[in-house]
Amino acid sequence: MISIVIAEDQEMLRKAMVQLMELNDELEILGDVPNGEDALQIIKDKQPDVAILDVEMPKMTGLEVLKAVKDLKLNTKVIIVTTFKRPGYFESAVANDVDAYVLKERSVDELVVTIKSVMNGKKEYSESLMTSMFKYKNPLNPKEQLVLKEIGKGLSSKEISKVLFLSDGTIRNYTSTIIDKLEADNRFDAWQIAVEKGWI
C-alpha cells in the first residue's frame, strides 16, 4: 500500500483526484489540503510515501514545500503537478531534487504510473517541460535576480543599493546588464519577463 498526501488549491480538482485514487486498492490517501503550509505540516506529521503538490498554492508554493521536505531529509517522494510550462519553476524543482514534475492535464491513471515509478527510485519529468527548460535557461545570475526582485518592489537604484549594501553605480550596472540579457525595453519590462518565465 502506497500512502499519499495531495495538496491542490482547486477543491473540485483535488476531491476528484482523491475519489479516483481511492478506487485503487494499492493507494491510501492520508490527507488532502488546499495550501502549501498545511501540506508541509501533514507531510511532517504522517510521513507519507508520496506527496503530490500543485506548483502554485497559497501560503507556500509546491516548490517551497519540496525544498522543505528535502532539507528536513524526509523519506517522502515529491511529485509536482503543474499547468505552467515555466522553465524557471522546472529548473528550481530539479535543483531541489524533485522526484517527478508532470503536467496537470494527464489522467489519474497516468499519475498512478508516475507514483509507482518514483516509488521504484526513478525520476520522471514531462517532456514538454524539459524542452522549455533547455530552450529558455535562466540567463540571470543570483545577484541579478536579487536586484530584479527589488526592482519589482518599485525601488530606485539608490534604494536598492542600501538594501543590498552595494553602490548605486553597481546597481545601475547590474540593471543595464539585466535589461540587455532579457532584451527588455526598461527595468520594469525586464522584471515582468523574468516573472513570466519563473526566473525570479
Side-chain angles (χ1 to χ4, degrees):
M1 186 77 88
I2 301 170
S3 59
I4 294 169
V5 163
I6 298 173
E8 160 66 62
D9 62 338
Q10 292 175 38
E11 191 167 352
M12 277 172 65
L13 178 61
R14 189 176 78 247
K15 294 301 180 191
M17 282 171 78
V18 170
Q19 281 177 336
L20 288 166
M21 285 191 183
E22 281 178 337
L23 297 172
N24 190 315
D25 296 341
E26 297 171 83
L27 308 178
E28 180 191 9
I29 308 294
L30 298 183
D32 64 282
V33 293
N35 64 67
E37 218 169 69
D38 291 351
L40 184 57
Q41 195 54 57
I42 199 168
I43 292 166
K44 287 199 282 196
D45 291 348
K46 301 197 174 181
Q47 308 241 340
D49 296 317
V50 177
I52 298 170
L53 309 174
D54 185 17
V55 76
E56 286 206 341
M57 293 185 287
K59 297 187 180 175
M60 278 178 94
T61 66
L63 294 171
E64 288 168 335
V65 177
L66 162 69
K67 188 176 184 321
V69 168
K70 298 296 179 179
D71 286 348
L72 291 165
K73 295 188 168 45
L74 302 175
N75 287 323
T76 301
K77 303 280 187 187
V78 176
I79 297 173
I80 286 187
V81 290
T82 181
T83 49
F84 303 100
K85 294 184 183 177
R86 290 183 180 160
Y89 283 1
F90 182 48
E91 230 176 297
S92 174
V94 172
N96 283 299
D97 197 26
V98 73
D99 296 286
Y101 194 97
V102 295
L103 289 169
K104 210 181 272 189
E105 61 212 31
R106 61 200 345 239
S107 69
V108 167
D109 288 343
E110 288 174 302
L111 194 53
V112 171
V113 171
T114 301
I115 290 167
K116 290 179 179 173
S117 175
V118 300
M119 286 304 292
N120 287 325
K122 294 176 184 157
K123 300 275 186 191
E124 188 182 322
Y125 313 127
S126 283
E127 213 169 295
S128 60
L129 294 164
M130 288 179 75
T131 310
S132 71
M133 175 178 166
F134 294 121
K135 200 170 164 190
Y136 303 108
K137 206 157 172 44
N138 189 349
L140 304 172
N141 66 36
K143 262 286 168 43
E144 289 161 355
Q145 289 172 44
L146 278 178
V147 170
L148 207 45
K149 279 179 188 170
E150 298 304 323
I151 287 171
K153 294 174 189 171
L155 300 186
S156 68
S157 296
K158 199 163 270 184
E159 288 167 330
I160 296 170
S161 70
K162 286 176 185 159
V163 173
L164 299 181
F165 303 104
L166 294 165
S167 74
D168 189 13
T170 302
I171 298 298
R172 286 176 192 279
N173 289 340
Y174 274 127
T175 305
S176 75
T177 304
I178 290 164
I179 291 169
D180 286 347
K181 280 186 177 180
L182 300 186
E183 296 175 0
D185 297 333
N186 54 52
R187 61 213 292 268
F188 292 109
D189 184 38
W191 174 77
Q192 214 163 357
I193 291 167
V195 168
E196 277 167 15
K197 298 271 193 232
W199 288 335
I200 55 170

